[in-house]
Amino acid sequence: MRNMHYQSSKHRPGLATADCMERAPRLGAREDWVAAAMDALDEIGEIVSNQCFSHPDALTQDRITAYALALMRLRECASAAGFERLMKACDALAVTVSRLIEDRSCACREKCEALTRFVVHAQAMIQMSTESAKRHTRRPLISPPLPAE
């Protein structure tokens, strides 16, 4: 029954809900997906700013679940935006998050620090990808020389 409560509750504080995840798939332009990825990353940043990530003993199941949902949303947005490296990073971190979901007692300072550091690394990945895309689109087109008369 506990799982049903999580599925039916739309307004649990600190948890990403299905409503949040439903917004992202309707986006079309790459810039919209990048913005959605940044929103998901901001959400993860808010989750890890809670003191329980500094003190693993205080880490709650709700916080771990919120992190997992926000990470899934970030991965979906990264996929749609074409951020391969960020998708792989999300997949790698998902292993740690799933272990914490299965057994919260395995939470340690190193795992919590990895979850917290991920926010900074993901921001850098998004910034590098968007800057790279801008450089490629700004290249001047070289037109062939005009024929001599």
Side-chain angles (χ1 to χ4, degrees), residues 7-145:
Q7 291 173 356
S8 64
S9 176
K10 289 190 173 193
H11 301 289
R12 288 194 54 97
L15 286 181
T17 62
D19 286 342
C20 295
M21 295 181 74
E22 285 177 5
R23 285 190 306 238
R26 291 188 178 97
L27 301 174
R30 185 174 191 265
E31 295 80 21
D32 291 338
W33 285 109
V34 172
M38 289 304 294
D39 287 345
L41 194 53
D42 289 344
E43 186 176 342
I44 292 173
E46 289 176 25
I47 293 166
V48 298
S49 68
N50 188 296
Q51 289 298 320
C52 64
F53 281 88
S54 300
H55 306 287
D57 296 340
L59 190 59
T60 66
Q61 197 68 34
D62 284 348
R63 287 289 173 188
I64 297 167
T65 303
Y67 193 103
L69 291 172
L71 186 64
M72 287 174 24
R73 183 172 160 228
L74 176 61
R75 195 221 184 270
E76 180 180 350
C77 294
S79 173
F83 296 155
E84 288 287 323
R85 186 172 173 213
L86 182 56
M87 285 173 35
K88 289 177 182 177
C90 289
D91 291 343
L93 192 64
V95 173
T96 299
V97 175
S98 67
R99 284 185 184 144
L100 289 172
I101 288 171
E102 290 174 6
D103 183 14
R104 189 178 57 85
S105 67
C106 75
C108 63
R109 184 168 303 280
E110 291 81 22
K111 287 180 183 175
C112 290
E113 286 174 358
L115 296 176
T116 303
R117 272 193 317 267
F118 176 76
V119 175
V120 175
H121 292 213
Q123 287 171 337
M125 285 183 232
I126 291 172
Q127 184 178 3
M128 287 174 22
S129 295
T130 55
E131 287 174 359
S132 175
K134 287 178 185 177
R135 278 193 303 255
H136 290 294
T137 58
R138 285 191 211 155
R139 288 188 180 159
L141 295 175
I142 301 173
S143 57

